[in-house]
Amino acid sequence: DLSLYSLGSIGLINSQGTLNSHGSAMVTWNIPSNVPPNTPLYASFITLDPALPFPQAILSISPAYNITPNSFEALTIESTSLPIAKTGLSCAENTATNTLFCFGGKNGNTYFDTIMEYNPNTQNLTTRSATLPSGRAYTACAENPTTHYIYCFGGENANGALNEIIEYNSSNETVTVLSTTLPSVNTKLSCKTYYPTSNIYCFGASTNGSRVLEFNPSTSNLVLKNTTYTPDTTCTSSPTNANQIYCFNSFASIYDPTTDTKTNLRFLSFNNQSCTNHSNGKSYCFGGQPTGNTINEFNPTAITFTTKYSPLPSPRTYAACVTLSTNSNIYCIGGQSNQNNPINEIVKYTTI
């Protein structure tokens, strides 16, 4: 059954539901034509036992989902999952193939050197023949959109933090350790592409005064900037919002690479979220502490954070979240639970 709540107490038309063998339901409906524009509409799903009388027949009531036209959101667990549950993955899109490449990761004390490619259109996950120089986790990867090479910065392996910069060319399956290195070892950086120049900026260093790092892929030149960001900062950038890099730690802020300046926008009360940018100009942050299963939407125009109605399937931190450039679907891969257990799920989040 489906129950609809709105300011105008209007009902659904022609609602139909289909339940599959996995316990997932698809519900379709028509919104009445007399609904005023922008009327907030919310739907919740009610599980009933027809053998019982009311109110005992109500077994569960889901949270309310926002089904307002132009405010759609949906979260699904993909049928494909990681062959081994992992946390500390770093994933980046190759915008030439529109597939996601995920690097390394760990499960317990085991660090992986694998490179996996996920095709969101087919849900096909393959392990590539190339491997990282050593097993590692919490590396930070970003694409050079000009060449479609992916660069991975730092991370950690069984022996500790790393200072390597890795170049991956998926067209010929080559992994190159660049002669340029980070100024010192670093793990859990957040590295994002600045699309007007294709330079990559890394945030949240635990050394060198936590200064921002600027990497030029065409020259392999690395520069320490003056602006600083604390460790465990997560940042977002997007080719559709090319001139902005948004960063999140105890503050939401904008970083301007052209002037090397940071503008704090508002205080935040969470950390260790995995954030990515959307073509609608907003950023979406998944999981983290203290709640773990929320999806938070950051609107840079209104400078607001809104908790969305679709929660993650379970609390998690350090998922690798990437926005696909073709349709702005967001994919969050792996991560770890509140009990530090690695996760094998691939979660898709859709909004407009």
Side-chain angles (χ1 to χ4, degrees):
D1 194 10
L2 186 69
S3 180
L4 181 74
Y5 303 92
S6 77
L7 295 179
S9 298
I10 57 177
L12 294 175
I13 297 175
N14 301 327
S15 64
Q16 300 181 31
T18 303
L19 186 69
N20 65 26
S21 60
H22 303 291
S24 299
M26 176 176 289
V27 179
T28 59
W29 62 84
N30 297 111
I31 298 173
S33 59
N34 63 344
V35 177
N38 302 316
T39 298
L41 301 175
Y42 301 93
S44 63
F45 296 88
I46 303 174
T47 305
L48 301 173
D49 184 344
L52 297 176
F54 281 96
Q56 291 85 356
I58 300 176
L59 302 180
S60 65
I61 302 176
S62 77
Y65 294 90
N66 187 345
I67 61 169
T68 306
N70 299 322
S71 299
F72 172 79
E73 62 169 344
L75 186 140
T76 56
I77 301 174
E78 300 281 77
S79 58
T80 301
S81 60
L82 300 176
I84 301 173
K86 294 179 182 179
T87 187
L89 284 166
S90 182
C91 302
E93 181 188 7
N94 181 322
T95 53
T97 62
N98 300 123
T99 55
L100 309 181
F101 287 87
C102 296
F103 299 81
K106 63 176 292 193
N107 182 309
N109 294 322
T110 301
Y111 290 82
F112 296 93
D113 63 0
T114 49
I115 301 171
M116 296 181 294
E117 180 184 19
Y118 181 65
N119 186 329
N121 292 324
T122 63
Q123 295 192 38
N124 189 42
L125 180 69
T126 57
T127 299
R128 305 288 293 204
S129 59
T131 58
L132 298 170
S134 65
R136 64 194 60 198
Y138 304 112
T139 186
C141 302
E143 183 203 29
N144 174 0
T146 303
T147 62
H148 305 293
Y149 296 171
I150 294 175
Y151 295 85
C152 297
F153 300 80
E156 65 182 49
N157 61 18
N159 298 316
L162 302 166
N163 68 348
E164 292 175 337
I165 301 175
I166 305 297
E167 178 188 84
Y168 174 62
N169 180 348
S170 63
S171 63
N172 61 13
E173 273 310 274
T174 57
V175 172
T176 304
V177 180
L178 301 185
S179 58
T180 302
T181 63
L182 299 176
S184 56
V185 297
N186 260 293
T187 186
K188 299 179 182 176
L189 291 167
S190 181
C191 298
K192 299 298 173 183
T193 303
Y194 180 62
Y195 288 89
T197 63
S198 295
N199 286 347
I200 297 170
Y201 291 82
C202 294
F203 304 84
S206 58
T207 56
N208 301 108
S210 298
R211 291 161 63 185
V212 174
L213 298 166
E214 177 190 70
F215 177 72
N216 185 329
S218 62
T219 63
S220 294
N221 189 42
L222 186 73
V223 176
L224 269 173
K225 309 299 284 186
N226 291 321
T227 298
T228 63
Y229 277 89
T230 59
D232 274 332
T233 292
T234 180
C235 299
T236 71
S237 67
S238 167
T240 55
N241 304 290
N243 295 317
Q244 304 290 353
I245 296 179
Y246 296 100
C247 292
F248 309 95
N249 42 46
S250 57
F251 286 89
S253 64
I254 297 175
Y255 177 73
D256 185 344
T258 63
T259 58
D260 185 31
T261 54
K262 172 176 64 175
T263 303
N264 286 331
L265 300 177
R266 59 164 294 167
F267 176 76
L268 300 180
S269 58
F270 59 79
N271 57 22
N272 293 338
Q273 290 207 328
S274 300
C275 301
T276 185
N277 197 264
H278 192 277
S279 60
N280 63 15
K282 301 172 184 178
S283 294
Y284 293 85
C285 296
F286 298 80
Q289 298 166 342
T291 52
N293 69 337
T294 56
I295 301 173
N296 290 311
E297 176 190 83
F298 174 66
N299 184 330
T301 302
I303 315 181
T304 56
F305 259 94
T306 304
T307 298
K308 305 302 288 181
Y309 287 96
S310 298
L312 291 168
S314 62
R316 64 197 62 194
T317 56
Y318 298 118
C321 298
V322 182
T323 303
L324 194 67
S325 60
T326 53
N327 56 20
S328 292
N329 286 341
I330 297 172
Y331 295 86
C332 291
I333 301 175
Q336 66 187 44
S337 70
N338 286 351
Q339 292 74 40
N340 297 324
N341 295 319
I343 294 170
N344 70 345
E345 291 173 341
I346 301 175
V347 175
K348 180 177 76 173
Y349 179 72
T350 304
T351 190
I352 58 176

